Amino acid sequence: MDNQELLVFEMKSAIFNLFSKRNSKRPLEENLTNFKLIFMNLFDIEFADILLYDNNRYIPIVKEGKTLERSWKSGEPQVKIEHPLLLASFISTVESNGYEFADDSLIIRDDHQSPLGALLFKASEKWHDFAATPYLKDLKTVFGTYLDQSIRMYQITEKEMTYRRLFEIAELFNSTMESAVILNGMMEAIQDSFPLFDVQLLLSQEQKGTMKTYRLFDYLNERASAVDAFLSGDLTIENVKDQSVSLVNAPIRGRQGIYGVVQISAPNDAEFTETEKGFVRMITNAAGTALENASLYEQSHRLVNDLQLVNEASRKLNSNLDLVEMIAYLKGQFITAFQPTEIAFVLRDDSGNWNISASSTDFFTKEVAKQYIEMVVQRLSSGEEAIFDPNAPQSSTTNIVFKSQVALPIIDRDEMIGFVILLHEEEYFFSFDSFKLMRSLISHSSLAISNILLRDQLQELVNKDNLTKLYTRRYLDNEVATTINNKGEDCVFLLMDVDDFKQVNDTYGHTTGDDVLQQISTYILTAIDGLGIACRWGGEEIAIFLPSASVHDGVQFAQMLVSYIPTVTTPQVTVSIGMSTWSSKEGKSYNELFQSSDKALYYAKNNGKNQFVMEGVASAK
């Protein structure tokens, strides 16, 4: 065996020894570096480097302290071969890429003569002697076998790690029904696989709020490749020249829809292998299916909760609540279920005015809230069945700042008697499912509110005189009796009679007489507002009850009536008033209180009229 054949034998032995010690978990660059060192030691070579061939490029396994995996995936400068069969051309190409030391190279190929890699080195005299022998071909075969096996082992290990990651993420997806956990697991898996790339999550509006870090998918402003991925459900890659990046857009696809896009931003000369693209595709598809299952699970629970809410509301609405209690209950339900920033209940009165309920939030007491009320009235009155603006346009001419707006009419016999408004500063805060539930609640509530209003109207007919709109005597009797029985504070009872009312009827007719009574009643209702109640005692007699009023308060009120009623009636009439007081110390009965006022009125009528008398003592006119 001559010296050259011995070199081949030694190389084979060293490589065999390297094979036997090779650890599949050891990085590929470590195995190839050891191979390079054997080559350098065997041929007394001082400078050498090894490149791997991929996609018509030769890639350094170690470049400025960066590993093969990082170089491969970060777009590090790579050597692109032009004429691999021509040694001079290859050397010329690599010299301009940081390999000035190289004056010789060895292209390493597999059994099919496809390039696997290249050795770049500064040739030694020992190498020159060997390269001139027929044993060079044997050495290339040995190198090709080792490099081919090393790459295959690396790819197997990478696939094993990929499938292990896929298995782990699949276990995570199958163990949870929380959308945030699924999306976080997906993003962590992709980011770990591409640590040097920027990975972003673009979510559809339906998935809004499921994660803290994401961007809403915006059809108008996203790049065409991202929109294409979202609409088609296929992975897309775009080379963005103006930003020097390559974008990989992987849709999060389920069986029933697409819920977002994972966007990977890499340097524009980075190459994504089919394995890497397949990995991203499998991760996002698995996440889409898991997200869909979680959404269906959450939706089923939400539907159960919605049904419970509607049933509870129906039960409550059918109970004997008054209008204030009803609105307060609905406000609590809407705030709990939908969490609006502001809410208002607006009802129309008999005059056609829109009145804001006291149960509305404080915002609607401000001047700026009128813009929302006017907007809702205009839109609902023009024929819109309801208002659902998840991203309401903002106007520079108004102070409207709430981006999410919902308004629902309260309907009674095909007529809008009111509406509810829900507002939130955040866009798309109210989902369409929430909007449908709101409509269901208002639909159930409309009938209950209508019944309450009808009940109040009927009760008002019972409690009030049809002509004067003053309370009936029975209603006043109950109020006075309740106050006295509860032994409350001092109070005043006035009994008033229109002077010479028969003469008015005889002179002007009963219609004019009715008008006079209405004029007097309208004035009294305005004057007594917040102070007490007035009732039509019978004929032209009117009783007035002032709870929590002192003697002085009663005197002032009686004097005012005597003075001003002649000024508000046409034809002009005067009144006589009898007044009595009640206190807990005296302990009068209601009958005694009435008798005292009646005697005082009788005294006033028989002593000149147009005056008031307090418990039998005449007052000056």
Side-chain angles (χ1 to χ4, degrees):
M1 180 182 295
D2 59 24
N3 290 336
Q4 306 304 332
E5 186 178 5
L6 183 60
L7 286 174
V8 175
F9 180 78
E10 291 179 1
M11 191 70 192
K12 287 182 179 180
S13 298
I15 289 178
F16 179 79
N17 187 47
L18 190 59
F19 259 122
S20 64
K21 294 181 179 180
R22 185 176 58 186
N23 186 343
S24 61
K25 295 183 180 180
R26 186 179 298 161
L28 177 60
E29 69 268 15
E30 184 177 340
N31 291 325
L32 297 184
T33 299
N34 291 334
F35 164 73
K36 181 187 71 173
L37 293 175
I38 293 172
F39 171 76
M40 293 172 66
N41 291 334
L42 192 62
F43 291 102
D44 298 333
I45 292 174
E46 185 177 1
F47 300 106
D49 211 338
I50 187 168
L51 310 177
L52 280 181
Y53 186 80
D54 182 65
N55 288 334
N56 203 33
R57 297 186 180 202
Y58 282 93
I59 305 168
I61 63 169
V62 177
K63 185 71 173 175
E64 297 178 356
K66 294 182 179 177
T67 65
L68 168 67
E69 286 84 0
R70 291 176 182 169
S71 298
W72 232 336
K73 297 173 183 176
S74 64
E76 285 293 314
Q78 300 165 354
V79 182
K80 186 174 181 180
I81 186 170
E82 296 178 0
H83 304 289
L85 299 180
L86 302 177
L87 178 62
S89 175
F90 183 68
I91 294 298
S92 174
T93 301
V94 299
E95 281 180 351
S96 62
N97 285 275
Y99 298 96
E100 294 82 1
F101 65 84
D103 58 9
D104 205 345
S105 68
L106 186 62
I107 305 297
I108 304 173
R109 303 175 184 275
D110 61 16
D111 293 340
H112 304 288
Q113 296 302 304
S114 298
L116 294 171
L119 276 167
L120 303 176
F121 53 92
K122 182 175 180 60
S124 64
E125 184 176 346
K126 191 174 183 180
W127 169 256
H128 283 306
D129 292 341
F130 178 82
T133 68
Y135 296 110
L136 178 60
K137 183 177 180 180
D138 292 340
L139 189 66
K140 287 182 178 181
T141 301
V142 173
F143 285 0
T145 300
Y146 177 77
L147 197 57
D148 188 30
Q149 292 297 317
S150 295
I151 292 173
R152 288 178 185 273
M153 288 298 297
Y154 169 75
Q155 292 173 340
I156 290 172
T157 302
E158 283 291 292
K159 285 184 179 180
E160 179 189 358
M161 292 175 61
T162 298
Y163 288 127
R164 187 178 297 277
R165 285 197 295 267
L166 286 172
F167 178 76
E168 290 172 352
I169 198 68
E171 276 192 321
L172 173 66
F173 290 168
N174 290 325
S175 65
T176 183
M177 285 296 177
E178 296 184 28
S179 299
V181 174
I182 293 169
L183 291 172
N184 276 321
M186 175 193 69
M187 292 298 289
E188 287 177 6
I190 295 176
Q191 189 68 75
D192 289 345
S193 298
F194 303 95
L196 299 180
F197 296 165
D198 180 44
V199 182
Q200 291 192 19
L201 177 62
L202 285 62
L203 285 180
S204 63
Q205 303 294 348
E206 290 78 9
Q207 296 301 316
K208 175 180 175 291
T210 51
M211 281 188 66
K212 292 183 178 179
T213 305
Y214 66 94
R215 189 174 86 234
L216 281 177
F217 192 90
D218 185 354
Y219 288 94
L220 299 178
N221 297 315
E222 299 298 343
R223 298 196 67 87
S225 60
V227 175
D228 185 37
F230 187 84
L231 295 178
S232 68
D234 297 326
L235 184 142
T236 64
I237 298 179
E238 178 187 7
N239 186 12
V240 187
K241 294 182 179 179
D242 57 334
Q243 299 179 20
S244 299
V245 296
S246 290
L247 291 180
V248 176
N249 303 287
I252 305 172
R253 184 175 64 181
R255 291 182 295 270
Q256 298 182 3
I258 297 172
Y259 305 99
V261 171
V262 175
Q263 191 172 80
I264 305 173
S265 178
N268 58 358
D269 54 356
E271 297 286 346
F272 287 89
T273 65
E274 289 300 322
T275 300
E276 291 171 330
K277 289 187 286 187
F279 170 75
V280 173
R281 191 181 292 111
M282 284 188 287
I283 285 286
T284 52
N285 285 347
T289 300
L291 192 64
E292 194 167 76
N293 292 336
S295 297
L296 292 173
Y297 178 79
E298 292 169 0
Q299 184 179 7
S300 66
H301 274 260
R302 187 168 59 249
L303 288 174
V304 171
N305 292 334
D306 291 351
L307 287 173
Q308 290 175 341
L309 176 62
V310 171
N311 288 336
E312 170 63 20
S314 298
R315 185 190 66 78
K316 191 73 173 179
L317 295 174
N318 288 326
S319 61
N320 192 26
L321 298 177
D322 61 30
L323 187 60
V324 173
E325 293 171 332
M326 172 75 70
I327 298 298
Y329 171 75
L330 287 175
K331 175 187 177 182
Q333 294 300 306
F334 273 85
I335 289 177
T336 301
F338 311 114
Q339 300 180 337
T341 305
E342 307 292 347
I343 184 171
F345 291 87
V346 184
L347 295 175
R348 191 180 62 190
D349 60 21
D350 294 336
S351 302
N353 299 316
W354 296 101
N355 299 318
I356 300 173
S357 167
S359 294
S360 305
T361 52
D362 292 340
F363 168 77
F364 286 95
T365 63
K366 301 177 181 178
E367 188 68 23
V368 66
K370 290 183 179 180
Q371 300 175 74
Y372 292 93
I373 302 296
E374 292 171 357
M375 177 270 293
V376 170
V377 171
Q378 181 181 7
R379 291 178 62 177
L380 293 181
S381 299
S382 64
E384 289 190 52
E385 293 184 359
I387 297 173
F388 176 56
D389 288 339
N391 188 13
Q394 306 301 297
S395 173
S396 58
T397 60
T398 66
N399 296 320
I400 292 179
V401 296
F402 295 98
K403 296 181 179 178
S404 293
Q405 303 175 12
V406 172
L408 302 161
I410 300 172
I411 304 297
D412 176 29
R413 288 167 289 185
D414 298 327
E415 183 180 358
M416 184 172 70
I417 60 173
F419 52 86
V420 58
I421 305 176
L422 294 92
L423 304 174
H424 200 282
E425 301 97 335
E426 189 177 337
E427 62 183 10
Y428 300 102
F429 183 81
F430 304 122
S431 68
F432 189 68
D433 286 338
S434 295
F435 172 66
K436 290 189 292 184
L437 179 58
M438 294 177 197
R439 294 192 70 171
S440 178
L441 284 174
I442 288 299
S443 177
H444 284 76
S445 304
S446 293
L447 180 59
I449 292 174
S450 176
N451 288 337
I452 289 175
L453 293 176
L454 181 59
R455 185 181 70 196
D456 290 345
Q457 291 172 0
L458 292 173
Q459 189 63 48
E460 186 173 355
L461 291 175
V462 173
N463 292 337
K464 290 188 177 181
D465 175 65
N466 186 51
L467 175 65
T468 62
K469 305 305 178 187
L470 299 176
Y471 285 106
T472 62
R473 181 170 178 173
R474 176 179 294 180
Y475 183 85
L476 181 71
D477 287 346
N478 291 333
E479 290 295 313
V480 176
T482 300
T483 301
I484 291 177
N485 291 336
N486 290 338
K487 302 187 182 300
E489 298 178 1
D490 295 353
C491 56
V492 172
F493 187 85
L494 304 175
L495 197 58
M496 183 180 76
D497 184 75
V498 180
D499 297 331
D500 303 317
F501 188 69
K502 183 177 183 304
Q503 185 177 346
V504 174
N505 284 331
D506 292 343
T507 304
Y508 299 99
H510 287 278
T511 301
T512 300
D514 289 345
D515 289 342
V516 169
L517 288 178
Q518 288 176 334
Q519 293 165 11
I520 294 173
S521 300
T522 300
Y523 176 75
I524 291 176
L525 288 173
T526 302
I528 205 173
D529 186 31
L531 299 177
I533 58 175
C535 84
R536 187 177 183 184
W537 195 256
E540 68 273 18
E541 288 186 331
I542 295 174
I544 297 171
F545 179 59
L546 302 176
S548 302
S550 65
V551 173
H552 176 72
D553 295 333
V555 169
Q556 281 192 321
F557 194 81
Q559 286 177 332
M560 179 184 64
L561 294 178
V562 171
S563 299
Y564 282 96
I565 284 179
T567 68
V568 299
T569 52
T570 304
Q572 190 180 75
V573 297
T574 62
V575 295
S576 297
I577 300 174
M579 171 180 157
S580 62
T581 61
W582 180 91
S583 68
S584 57
K585 293 180 180 179
E586 296 177 357
K588 287 181 185 177
S589 67
Y590 177 32
N591 186 57
E592 291 172 335
L593 183 65
F594 160 69
Q595 292 293 338
S596 296
S597 297
D598 189 52
K599 288 179 181 179
L601 173 61
Y602 182 81
Y603 186 90
K605 297 286 286 185
N606 289 289
N607 287 274
K609 304 178 183 178
N610 191 24
Q611 60 181 312
F612 80 90
V613 172
M614 184 173 68
E615 298 193 280
V617 181
S619 170
K621 293 183 181 179

